[in-house]
């Protein structure tokens, strides 16, 4: 459940930003990023008169570029072609001209370009696309959501805890638990941030896990592929469950200050039925002595997509050495 735009190239910046007012520069840089990835698709959202383009969409954030007082001439068509933009500054705003691979041209006249951002509680969001160690794959996915929120929207949209947690998104041992299939995976360089490793060491001390604490200190001193593999293996072991659970708990706490997505009354009735079934299942597993986590999957609130509301009960299954999970879904 993510649309991620990459950093804009210098060439694209030069093409898009030659004729832009200083006060609008940052928003136009983001528009350049959208064109750089060729994901520009202007739409009217429900209840909005202005055209908007999705900028960053994931479980943690829905962010749009809004063309204020916009008027389109011609029409956007869905073509698998590079879209070439140009911008003309007008007395009362701008004119965006989009050439869709010489198959179509349309324009958008607007007074200014505005970034609109909505932040959400992502702590219990889950997407189970790859089997095995699902609780670690959800952690990897959620950390990536924080990282993208930070990189594309700035530190002001992140709290203090998130500014540390997001540095774990590129931590090699955690990246080994890839959460999405290869064709959808956005690869970033491995990074071993001292602050992130110190945080993990503090967690190990908090739960009195001395063996993983020693391994983290050795990895911090001299990162290597072998030590990364060893740490990743330890993350999935039964004996280190308290360590992983503390990270997940910290992430959920960091996310808890943001609001939940809100849906219509009829939609919420359906969600409540699904939630009641999931809670009953979770309670039954806990009655039998299992530890569980509740996850949910939901559509975007402002730009509706094909995702349907689901809830999942993740049931921890302890082996002799490994700690795995069973996933029970409700929809």
């Amino acid at each position: 459940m993510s649309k991620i735009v990459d950093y804009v190239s210098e060439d694209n910046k030069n093409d898009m930003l030659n004729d832009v007012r200083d006060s609008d520069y940052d928003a136009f840089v983001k528009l350049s990023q959208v064109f750089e990835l060729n994901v520009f698709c202007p739409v009217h959202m429900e209840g909005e008169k202005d055209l908007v383009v999705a900028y960053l969409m994931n479980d943690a954030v829905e962010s749009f570029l809004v063309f204020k007082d916009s008027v389109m001439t011609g029409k956007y068509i869905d073509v698998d072609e590079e879209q070439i933009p140009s911008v003309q500054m007008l007395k009362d705003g701008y004119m965006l001209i989009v050439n869709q691979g010489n198959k179509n041209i349309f324009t958008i006249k607007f007074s200014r370009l505005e970034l609109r951002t909505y932040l959400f509680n992502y702590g219990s969001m889950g997407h189970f696309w790859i089997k095995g160690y699902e609780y670690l794959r959800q952690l990897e996915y959620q950390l990536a959501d924080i990282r993208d929120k930070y990189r594309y929207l700035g530190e002001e949209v992140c709290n203090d805890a998130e500014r540390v947690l997001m540095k774990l998104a590129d931590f090699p041992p955690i990246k080994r638990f890839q959460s999405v299939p290869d064709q959808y995976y956005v690869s970033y360089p491995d990074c071993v941030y001292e602050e992130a490793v110190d945080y993990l060491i503090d967690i190990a001390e908090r739960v009195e896990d001395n063996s993983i604490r020693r391994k983290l200190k050795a990895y911090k001193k001299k990162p290597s592929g072998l030590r990364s593999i060893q740490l990743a293996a330890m993350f999935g072991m039964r004996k280190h469950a308290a360590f992983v659970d503390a990270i997940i708990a910290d992430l959920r706490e960091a996310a808890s200050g943001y609001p939940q997505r809100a849906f219509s009354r009829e939609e919420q009735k359906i969600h409540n039925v699904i939630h009641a079934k999931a809670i009953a299942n979770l309670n039954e597993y806990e009655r039998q002595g299992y530890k569980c986590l509740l996850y949910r999957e939901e559509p975007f609130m402002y730009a509706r997509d094909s995702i349907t509301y689901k809830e999942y009960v993740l049931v921890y299954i302890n082996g002799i050495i490994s700690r795995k999970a069973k996933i029970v879904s409700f929809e």
Side-chain angles (χ1 to χ4, degrees):
M1 186 179 175
S2 178
K3 298 178 184 177
I4 300 171
V5 295
D6 209 346
Y7 295 110
V8 63
S9 70
E10 289 302 320
D11 289 343
N12 195 275
K13 279 185 182 179
N14 292 337
D15 291 343
M16 283 288 296
L17 305 178
N18 288 334
D19 204 15
V20 171
R21 297 178 181 91
D22 289 345
S23 59
D24 297 323
Y25 184 85
D26 288 345
F28 273 92
V29 167
K30 290 176 171 55
L31 180 61
S32 296
Q33 293 173 331
V34 173
F35 277 107
E36 182 81 356
L37 256 182
N38 203 33
V39 292
F40 180 85
C41 178
V43 298
H44 281 289
M45 292 196 306
E46 185 177 348
E48 293 279 349
K49 67 176 183 178
D50 293 320
L51 286 164
V52 304
V53 172
Y55 177 61
L56 177 64
M57 306 286 290
N58 65 29
D59 289 332
V61 60
E62 296 183 30
S63 183
F64 309 91
L65 290 165
V66 182
F67 295 86
K68 299 297 294 181
D69 307 310
S70 50
V71 177
M72 180 184 286
T73 300
K75 64 179 181 179
Y76 166 86
I77 62 173
D78 186 11
V79 293
D80 189 19
E81 301 283 348
E82 183 181 8
Q83 301 188 88
I84 308 299
S86 62
V87 173
Q88 295 179 2
M89 187 160 58
L90 309 175
K91 183 178 180 180
D92 57 348
Y94 299 93
M95 180 74 75
L96 173 67
I97 305 160
V98 182
N99 184 334
Q100 296 186 287
N102 292 320
K103 292 187 175 181
N104 183 54
I105 296 177
F106 65 92
T107 67
I108 301 175
K109 183 178 180 292
F110 56 102
S111 61
R112 68 184 189 278
L113 188 62
E114 174 184 291
L115 180 69
R116 188 178 300 168
T117 297
Y118 304 93
L119 304 176
F120 298 101
N121 183 343
Y122 55 88
S124 298
M125 299 297 290
H127 309 279
F128 297 90
W129 293 305
I130 301 179
K131 292 185 178 296
Y133 298 102
E134 286 88 349
Y135 58 101
L136 289 166
R137 299 190 190 280
Q138 299 317 300
L139 178 62
E140 188 268 348
Y141 190 88
Q142 291 169 321
L143 292 170
D145 278 348
I146 305 172
R147 174 197 61 203
D148 294 329
K149 180 171 73 162
Y150 178 92
R151 285 186 173 175
Y152 297 110
L153 295 170
E155 65 176 14
E156 62 271 15
V157 300
C158 298
N159 57 44
D160 290 343
E162 288 177 310
R163 293 185 191 114
V164 176
L165 287 166
M166 70 94 181
K167 293 180 178 179
L168 290 174
D170 300 319
F171 187 60
I174 289 177
K175 287 176 69 177
R176 292 184 179 275
F177 297 96
Q178 183 177 317
S179 57
V180 299
D182 289 340
Q183 62 266 37
Y184 304 114
Y185 185 68
V186 179
S187 180
Y188 289 92
D190 291 349
C191 291
V192 180
Y193 295 101
E194 183 174 328
E195 185 180 8
V197 183
D198 286 341
Y199 162 75
L200 294 178
I201 292 171
D202 288 343
I203 291 287
E205 291 174 350
R206 186 197 308 174
V207 300
E208 300 181 343
D209 190 332
N210 292 322
S211 60
I212 206 165
R213 177 181 59 83
R214 289 192 295 269
K215 186 64 69 175
L216 285 163
K217 285 187 172 182
Y219 187 72
K220 176 185 173 183
K221 185 176 181 180
K222 188 176 181 180
S224 70
L226 176 60
R227 285 176 173 166
S228 173
I229 293 171
Q230 290 171 336
L231 272 170
M234 294 174 80
F235 286 176
M237 289 182 181
R238 177 181 179 179
K239 66 181 293 187
H240 303 298
F243 170 79
V244 173
D245 289 351
I247 302 171
I248 294 173
D250 279 0
L251 184 144
R252 290 192 168 203
E253 176 63 25
S256 66
Y258 300 107
Q260 306 282 10
R261 284 178 171 86
F263 299 97
S264 71
R265 183 176 298 180
E266 290 303 312
E267 289 172 320
Q268 198 58 55
K269 286 181 180 179
I270 297 171
H271 298 176
N272 290 344
V273 171
I274 294 171
H275 181 66
K277 292 178 181 178
I279 286 294
N281 183 265
L282 182 146
N283 289 338
E284 177 58 26
Y285 273 107
E286 288 187 337
R287 188 187 66 79
Q288 297 175 33
Y290 291 95
K291 183 171 183 176
C292 305
L293 284 175
L294 188 68
Y295 287 91
R296 70 183 188 280
E297 181 177 277
E298 62 192 16
F300 291 128
M301 180 173 164
Y302 291 97
R304 296 304 180 95
D305 53 16
S306 59
I307 296 291
T308 57
Y309 186 86
K310 300 178 183 178
E311 292 200 16
Y312 302 91
V313 177
L314 184 150
V315 185
Y316 286 109
I317 307 295
N318 288 325
I320 297 174
I321 297 176
S322 297
R323 187 199 200 198
K324 299 185 180 180
K326 173 183 178 180
I327 308 300
V328 185
S329 63
F330 298 87
E331 57 184 294

